[in-house]
Amino acid sequence: MNRLFRLALLLCLWSVLPAKTMVNTEHVQAQLIAHAPAGIVAGQDVRLGLLIRHQPEWHTYWRNPGDSGLATTLDWTLSPGVQAGEIAWPTPRRLRLGPLLNYGYEGQVLLPVSLTIPADFKADALDIRLRADWLVCRENCIPESGEFSLRLPSATPLIEHAALFDTARGQVPQEVPGARADARVDGASLAVEVEGLAAALHGQPLNFFAETGGVIDHAAAVEQQWRAGRWIAKVPLSPQRSESPATMAAVLTVGDRSPGTRLNLRISGPWSGTDTPASPAPLPAPSPASPPSLPFALLLALLGGLLLNLMPCVFPILSLKVLSFARPGQERRALLTGGLAYTVGIVVSFVALAGLLLALRAGGEELGWGFQLQSPLFVASLAAFFSLIGLNLAGVFELGNVLPSSVATLHSRHPVLDHALTGVLAVAVASPCTGPFMGVALGTALVLPVVQALLIFATLGLGMALPYLLASLWPGLARRLPRPGVWMVRFRTLMAFPMFATVVWLLWVLGQQIGIDGLAALLGILVALAFAAWAFGSPGFSRKARLGFGVPAALVLGGTLWWAWPSFASPSTSTETTGQTSWQAWSAGAVVSAQAAGRPVFIDFTAAWCVTCQFNKRTALADPAVLADFERRRVLLLRADWTRRDPAITQELARLGRSGVPVYALYSPAAKTPVLLPEILRPADLHGALASIESPA
């Protein structure tokens, strides 16, 4: 009953919330539109579509993006029983970028889908929610997304966007009844023969768009001819072919004219002597045949966990533990119990987080270690939580004045649970801060059987908890602390500042994820939250004063949340700037292109929430001598920014045997595998790696 009540409440709230059909970024305007000339009725024409208007020179991608890019994806949440079909992709344009050829859309494009309405649909309105993700590119590429909502009255005809949907229908490739298409593998080419095409196409040179990626060499010229009404072509296969399909859909066009003709090719013959797909990566990865042994991986995990205690993101948690040591009159048993509970909290949290990661990866999600900090809402929640802790330590409010006494005294009545939850919090903020030993250990864990993988993560947690556990086992530590006095009040206030420093870091991470508008929105929430904490929890207020200040504070907080929510629901995407114009966005195609031109390639896999990444970026990677060495050797500098989820980067990290950042890969022009550098970089490491690669011609 409680679950039904909550569901009903959510539906009621949804019904009064305003629809959100438009998302604007710096590069596109995306709009959710609908077309239902007979209303929302079973068996009638009901369509939805994402209308994308691109800024000049910017483009998004077709279902097969070509040599680089990512297709737009639509994730629908609809009323019960209503189902959305696949995107009816309009015929794309050929988009050349140097030696690469991509397929996509410029100007304005509508991506329509058809809805299936069940026969028993009797609701007064159709509720629609959409999460859309797209990659928009010019010379650089930026992943963007948007959240849309719409409520369509069932009995009202929807014809406002009829012209747009009619135009989109006319741009979708059409199948020709009676047309026959066959293909066979002929060495390094796909020999295609098509008969039954429209007479208007006969004698015309045709463009060939394969709907399946990873098969053909998109930029290579297609040898073609017409013979007795049949189109005969040799389509070059990709040297990095990753698919070996038995059938493949393709589109033929004359120039960039729409709608094009859609074919289903039946492919015969073996694929280059093997039916096994090739590696999906443009270059083979370092050999996975000899991963570190389990004992060695456990040792690395233990050392990595120990070093986590030196990471700035863990300092606030250590501050809380130091405060717990400073409490007077504690018995040795209480200290030991607290140490064990803290250790259990850390180990269990690491294992649980790892189990979730392994389960999601097994389900097809492209995730890596530290994935929780790729969520802007999670980062914002952490910032709010640490702000409240800092305000509490600084004496702005007391929990006993805000919460019911039964809740406020939980930490004192259940100290073991308090220590364990502190360990959980430590894992939440520490897990992305990979140390120099953790990259190999975690990369190994994700390819081992589940039990062995979880054992590595448990050892990582044990390493992190070990210093505090050992301290709790040493009874002389408590005796060495000063006697209780004024210093404890000052020390508590001092410990507020590491909390605020962590909030600054989290705000910077959030700014990288959702832009300046989202950052300003969170700052407004934090100010309103601080006002509410002071109003409700100030130790100097009477009950009447708390009520007088608390009601306006609650209204301010509620209004701020209402104002700020759109920035989190549809964040603008910003790219990271480093002051070095020589850095470019990573793509697999860029690596291949640079090596073909005889240039070495250095890739920095980084994220805004990765403290080690930012340290390296401001030290070794900013060293003038290193930059000069890069320039002298004509090294192409690529940055793979993993601040937000990016399946392509996740796959590339997995290919390199890693599950998190930082990772530094250096490709020489002739080598087929990269040199992987240490996670904590020194200029000497970079100079040594550069000296070992072949010099450019």
Side-chain angles (χ1 to χ4, degrees):
M1 291 298 294
N2 289 336
R3 186 176 298 176
L4 291 175
F5 175 76
R6 289 196 297 268
L7 179 60
L9 180 61
L10 286 174
L11 292 175
C12 291
L13 290 174
W14 191 5
S15 66
V16 300
L17 289 175
K20 181 173 183 180
T21 62
M22 188 88 70
V23 170
N24 290 290
T25 73
E26 295 181 7
H27 315 102
V28 305
Q29 180 188 77
Q31 183 181 3
L32 174 61
I33 61 175
H35 177 68
I40 312 301
V41 180
Q44 298 297 318
D45 182 20
V46 179
R47 283 176 285 170
L48 301 174
L50 184 67
L51 180 64
I52 302 178
R53 300 180 179 94
H54 303 84
Q55 290 292 332
E57 301 181 3
W58 290 85
H59 60 268
T60 53
Y61 292 94
W62 188 48
R63 64 193 310 164
N64 173 15
D67 286 326
S68 62
L70 288 172
T72 299
T73 60
L74 306 180
D75 185 11
W76 300 96
T77 301
L78 303 170
S79 297
V82 180
Q83 296 183 353
E86 298 296 324
I87 298 174
W89 292 94
T91 301
R93 295 189 56 187
R94 293 157 56 91
L95 305 169
R96 286 200 172 272
L97 181 62
L100 306 180
L101 180 65
N102 297 328
Y103 305 141
Y105 308 102
E106 298 176 320
Q108 175 175 292
V109 65
L110 175 62
L111 304 180
V113 302
S114 294
L115 295 187
T116 301
I117 309 298
D120 59 352
F121 184 79
K122 304 297 184 183
D124 295 333
L126 172 60
D127 292 313
I128 301 164
R129 295 183 66 185
L130 168 64
R131 159 79 185 208
D133 294 272
W134 60 87
L135 184 70
V136 59
C137 300
R138 190 172 61 180
E139 294 177 355
N140 59 319
C141 292
I142 301 172
E144 296 181 340
S145 62
E147 299 276 355
F148 306 83
S149 62
L150 192 60
R151 187 175 178 86
L152 304 178
S154 299
T156 303
L158 303 170
I159 58 174
E160 177 184 357
H161 302 293
L164 290 171
F165 280 95
D166 288 343
T167 300
R169 189 194 297 271
Q171 294 172 340
V172 175
Q174 302 297 310
E175 296 188 6
V176 178
R180 179 183 177 87
D182 295 293
R184 60 182 175 83
V185 179
D186 183 10
S189 299
L190 192 65
V192 179
E193 185 170 330
V194 184
E195 60 180 345
L197 292 173
L201 299 181
H202 290 194
Q204 299 271 16
L206 304 181
N207 289 329
F208 182 89
F209 297 86
E211 290 190 1
T212 303
V215 177
I216 71 168
D217 186 346
H218 305 98
V222 175
E223 298 180 17
Q224 56 180 293
Q225 59 177 311
W226 286 90
R227 186 184 303 164
R230 292 176 298 161
W231 185 72
I232 301 173
K234 294 191 71 173
V235 181
L237 295 173
S238 171
Q240 288 83 39
R241 180 177 55 82
S242 60
E243 299 292 336
S244 301
T247 61
M248 183 175 69
V251 176
L252 299 179
T253 67
V254 177
D256 286 328
R257 298 182 208 166
S258 291
T261 301
R262 190 172 187 269
L263 308 168
N264 286 299
L265 302 174
R266 295 181 296 273
I267 303 175
S268 60
W271 283 92
S272 302
T274 177
D275 291 327
T276 303
S279 168
L283 292 171
S287 174
S290 57
S293 64
L294 180 60
F296 184 61
L298 292 174
L299 176 61
L300 293 178
L302 185 68
L303 293 174
L306 284 168
L307 287 177
L308 274 179
N309 292 284
L310 302 179
M311 297 294 172
C313 51
V314 188
F315 285 169
I317 309 303
L318 295 182
S319 301
L320 292 176
K321 302 318 296 175
V322 171
L323 271 178
S324 69
F325 270 121
R327 293 171 188 159
Q330 294 193 91
E331 298 179 355
R332 179 183 178 185
R333 182 178 178 182
L335 289 173
L336 178 58
T337 303
L340 290 174
Y342 178 66
T343 302
V344 170
I346 287 183
V347 172
V348 171
S349 298
F350 264 113
V351 171
L353 191 59
L356 176 62
L357 172 61
L358 293 172
L360 291 174
R361 286 170 68 97
E365 293 287 340
E366 297 294 344
L367 298 174
W369 190 245
F371 67 93
Q372 69 274 21
L373 284 188
Q374 293 176 324
S375 166
L377 283 177
F378 184 84
V379 175
S381 299
L382 274 185
F385 182 70
F386 278 115
S387 296
L388 288 175
I389 293 177
L391 292 170
N392 176 252
L393 292 173
V396 173
F397 75 99
E398 296 294 340
L399 285 175
N401 296 330
V402 179
L403 302 174
S405 59
S406 59
V407 177
T409 58
L410 276 177
H411 73 283
S412 59
R413 291 188 289 114
H414 302 283
V416 175
L417 178 61
D418 185 51
H419 286 291
L421 292 178
T422 304
V424 174
L425 179 61
V427 173
V429 297
S431 55
C433 299
T434 54
F437 300 105
M438 290 172 61
V440 175
L442 298 183
T444 302
L446 295 182
V447 298
L448 288 174
V450 173
V451 174
Q452 296 182 23
L454 295 180
L455 181 59
I456 289 179
F457 285 103
T459 305
L460 176 65
L462 179 62
M464 181 178 174
L466 195 57
Y468 184 79
L469 179 60
L470 293 176
S472 64
L473 291 170
W474 184 23
L477 178 61
R479 292 195 298 267
R480 294 187 180 184
L481 291 174
R483 292 185 177 183
V486 178
W487 73 270
M488 293 190 65
V489 178
R490 295 172 179 169
F491 184 74
R492 170 179 162 161
T493 304
L494 177 64
M495 290 300 98
F497 293 97
M499 303 296 167
F500 296 140
T502 300
V503 173
V504 171
W505 168 61
L506 291 168
L507 289 172
W508 180 77
V509 170
L510 193 73
Q512 300 294 313
Q513 293 176 330
I514 64 176
I516 190 65
D517 291 341
L519 181 60
L522 179 59
L523 286 171
I525 291 174
L526 294 184
V527 172
L529 192 63
F531 178 38
W534 172 79
F536 284 106
S538 177
F541 283 169
S542 64
R543 184 174 180 181
K544 184 177 181 180
R546 288 195 188 97
L547 182 63
F549 283 111
V551 172
L555 293 175
V556 169
L557 180 58
T560 305
L561 289 170
W562 177 82
W563 164 74
W565 176 250
S567 297
F568 295 94
S570 58
S572 63
T573 304
S574 63
T575 57
E576 180 186 6
T577 58
T578 64
Q580 298 292 338
T581 57
S582 55
W583 289 94
Q584 300 179 26
W586 169 85
S587 70
V591 178
V592 175
S593 177
Q595 288 195 303
R599 295 184 64 183
V601 180
F602 179 80
I603 309 174
D604 172 16
F605 292 89
T606 184
W609 38 261
C610 169
V611 177
T612 309
C613 302
Q614 306 311 318
F615 174 81
N616 290 335
K617 194 178 298 182
R618 285 159 177 75
T619 53
L621 292 178
D623 185 270
V626 170
L627 295 176
D629 205 359
F630 278 138
E631 184 175 0
R632 181 172 61 84
R633 298 177 185 274
R634 298 176 54 246
V635 178
L636 177 63
L637 302 178
L638 300 179
R639 183 152 281 152
D641 191 343
W642 208 41
T643 300
R644 302 196 71 182
R645 284 184 57 184
D646 188 321
I649 294 177
T650 306
Q651 291 175 1
E652 185 68 8
L653 287 171
R655 194 180 69 86
L656 296 174
R658 297 292 187 267
S659 65
V661 291
V663 173
Y664 303 102
L666 177 63
Y667 287 89
S668 70
K672 294 192 177 292
T673 58
V675 175
L676 297 182
L677 280 70
E679 281 86 352
I680 294 183
L681 281 177
R682 301 174 303 163
D685 298 324
L686 291 163
H687 288 303
L690 290 171
S692 67
I693 65 175
E694 298 179 11
S695 300

